[in-house]
Amino acid sequence: MITVAAASRTFKGKSGRVEALKEIDLTIGEGEFMAVIGRSGCGKSTLLRMIAGLIKPTGGEVSIAGERVVAPRRDIAMVFQRPALLPWRSVQDNVLLPVEVFRWRRSQHYERAQQLLEMTGLAGFRKRLPHELSGGMQQRVSLCRALIQRPKVMLMDEPFSALDALTREELAV
């Protein structure tokens, strides 16, 4: 499903070049769950962003289902370390944001949004703005937003770091 072949990523900055990843090879089959573990700054987020098509490798390639990843795709969702919610949009409208971006019919995804909010314990907060929520609640909104599109590939960059232990355990199951 996901193939990373000799992928490298180098960043150029004021203080020179930083080699974030060097010739990474990785294959993840359909339906597999994979965790990448490493120290802060070792390239985990860079790898996820390359798979998501948010940044391009400076060497090698990334492909999903045999198709090279060159830009963000509708069948890939990513949950970031920080929720990145739009502060002027309600919880419900933040969850439905991909529906607008991809120009899908809102009416066909509204029920799915309600189910996701219910599943994550946010049904009673659908009209609230992000600043009215705790950090963990905001992260759950971000998770719902990623799931609304029913992605084939779900990438998560430390998505549970802002959650309390009980909520983390519930969502991880």
Side-chain angles (χ1 to χ4, degrees):
M1 177 82 182
I2 300 173
T3 304
V4 179
S8 298
R9 177 62 194 199
T10 302
F11 294 98
K12 296 175 186 172
K14 293 179 182 179
S15 56
R17 295 167 33 103
V18 175
E19 191 172 60
L21 295 172
K22 183 177 180 183
E23 297 182 13
I24 301 294
D25 290 307
L26 175 67
T27 303
I28 305 169
E30 188 168 345
E32 283 188 319
F33 177 88
M34 170 95 160
V36 179
I37 300 171
R39 292 181 178 262
S40 179
C42 74
K44 300 180 303 289
S45 296
T46 300
L47 177 62
L48 291 175
R49 290 173 196 272
M50 283 191 332
I51 294 170
L54 299 174
I55 59 174
K56 294 179 181 177
T58 51
E61 68 178 49
V62 176
S63 61
I64 295 181
E67 186 179 325
R68 191 171 185 180
V69 177
V70 294
R73 298 168 36 149
R74 294 178 183 192
D75 60 346
I76 302 172
M78 184 156 175
V79 179
F80 298 93
Q81 289 177 3
R82 294 187 191 100
L85 302 175
L86 299 178
W88 60 88
R89 295 180 67 116
S90 69
V91 165
Q92 179 174 282
D93 288 341
N94 265 289
V95 171
L96 289 166
L97 181 63
V99 173
E100 293 175 32
V101 169
F102 298 138
R103 293 189 167 105
W104 295 333
R105 284 195 172 141
R106 185 178 171 104
S107 61
Q108 292 178 340
H109 297 278
Y110 181 82
E111 187 176 322
R112 169 89 170 141
Q114 303 320 305
Q115 291 169 348
L116 290 168
L117 291 171
E118 184 72 38
M119 179 181 73
T120 56
L122 295 170
F125 298 89
R126 63 177 46 101
K127 299 295 181 192
R128 299 278 179 98
L129 294 174
H131 76 273
E132 298 177 289
L133 306 176
S134 70
M137 293 169 83
Q138 289 179 22
Q139 193 65 359
R140 285 184 274 157
V141 174
S142 185
L143 180 61
C144 291
R145 184 175 58 197
L147 291 171
I148 192 82
Q149 64 195 76
R150 299 181 191 271
K152 287 182 185 174
V153 175
M154 180 77 157
L155 303 171
M156 304 174 90
D157 191 356
E158 297 186 40
F160 300 148
S161 61
L163 301 178
D164 62 86
L166 293 174
T167 304
R168 185 180 308 126
E169 188 173 319
E170 286 176 9
L171 292 177
V173 174

